[in-house]
Amino acid sequence: VWEKREEEWAREKAARDRLMNEVLAGRQRQIQEKMELNRRAQEESIKYREQLIKELEEAKELSRREKEREEELKTARRQELEAQVLQRCLQEQEEQQRQREEEEEERSGQQRSEELVRQEAERMAERGYRDRVSSSVKGTLLTHCCHPDTQAHRGG
C-alpha cells in the first residue's frame, strides 16, 4: 500500500512538475511576446521621433530660407529707395545749378546791356549829342537793349 501511495505521489509530483513547466513555458512565451511587442513599439516610436525631428529641421530650414529671402527683399527695397532719394537729390542739385547758371547768365546779360547803353551814351556824348542825352533816352535804350525779344534778334 505504501509503495502504491509513493508511486501515486511520484506520478502526481511528475504531473505537477510537468504542469508547472508548461505554465512557466507559457509565461516565458508571453513575456517574450510582450518584449517583442515593446521592442517593435520602441522602434516605431524611434522612427516616428526621427521623422518628426527631420520634419522639424526641414521646417526650420524653410523658415530660415524664407526669412533670408525676406531680408534680401527688404535690403533690395531699401537700396531702391535710397537710389530714388539719391536720384532726386541729384536732380535737385542739377536744377539748382541750372537756376544759378541762368541767373548768372541773366546778370551777365544785364551787365552787358548796361555796358552797351553806357558805351552808346558815351559815343553819343562824344558826337555832340550831349544836350539830347537824358535819362529818358537812357531808359529807352536800356529797355530796348534788355528786352528779351530784342536780344533774341541780336543773337544773344
Side-chain angles (χ1 to χ4, degrees):
V1 175
W2 188 255
E3 282 182 18
K4 280 187 172 183
R5 182 71 84 175
E6 281 183 357
E7 285 176 14
E8 187 180 327
W9 288 343
R11 283 193 304 271
E12 288 177 358
K13 182 178 184 311
R16 280 194 308 269
D17 287 345
R18 204 173 36 251
L19 182 61
M20 185 59 89
N21 284 336
E22 288 175 13
V23 168
L24 287 176
R27 284 296 289 153
Q28 184 67 30
R29 278 193 308 275
Q30 288 176 347
I31 290 172
Q32 286 179 348
E33 287 173 2
K34 281 188 178 182
M35 286 176 59
E36 182 64 22
L37 285 174
N38 283 341
R39 187 186 62 76
R40 287 182 188 164
Q42 273 186 330
E43 286 176 358
E44 288 296 315
S45 177
I46 289 171
K47 285 179 185 177
Y48 181 70
R49 182 173 177 252
E50 288 173 352
Q51 182 65 29
L52 287 177
I53 290 171
K54 182 180 175 184
E55 289 174 5
L56 179 63
E57 288 173 356
E58 289 172 357
K60 282 182 181 178
E61 179 63 20
L62 183 64
S63 175
R64 184 193 63 75
R65 276 191 251 138
E66 182 65 24
K67 198 176 211 177
E68 190 175 282
R69 189 179 69 81
E70 287 176 7
E71 284 298 319
E72 288 172 357
L73 287 173
K74 282 182 187 177
T75 301
R77 181 67 180 146
R78 185 175 57 248
Q79 289 173 346
E80 181 181 330
L81 290 173
E82 288 172 355
Q84 288 176 0
V85 168
L86 180 61
Q87 182 65 27
R88 281 192 207 128
C89 286
L90 290 174
Q91 288 174 347
E92 287 176 10
Q93 289 175 354
E94 288 173 1
E95 179 63 23
Q96 290 173 355
Q97 180 64 28
R98 188 188 58 76
Q99 287 177 355
R100 283 194 294 268
E101 289 172 358
E102 285 178 1
E103 290 170 0
E104 181 60 34
E105 192 175 309
E106 189 177 317
R107 276 194 301 274
S108 178
Q110 192 168 354
Q111 287 174 351
R112 282 193 307 263
S113 297
E114 290 173 1
E115 180 62 24
L116 287 174
V117 169
R118 189 188 60 74
Q119 289 174 358
E120 188 63 29
E122 284 179 4
R123 271 184 278 181
M124 288 174 76
E126 288 175 5
R127 292 182 188 155
Y129 296 110
R130 211 172 285 203
D131 297 339
R132 292 186 170 181
V133 175
S134 67
S135 62
S136 64
V137 172
K138 285 182 182 175
T140 304
L141 285 173
L142 184 60
T143 304
H144 182 67
C145 291
C146 295
H147 195 274
D149 292 338
T150 319
Q151 286 183 358
H153 293 303
R154 291 186 184 170

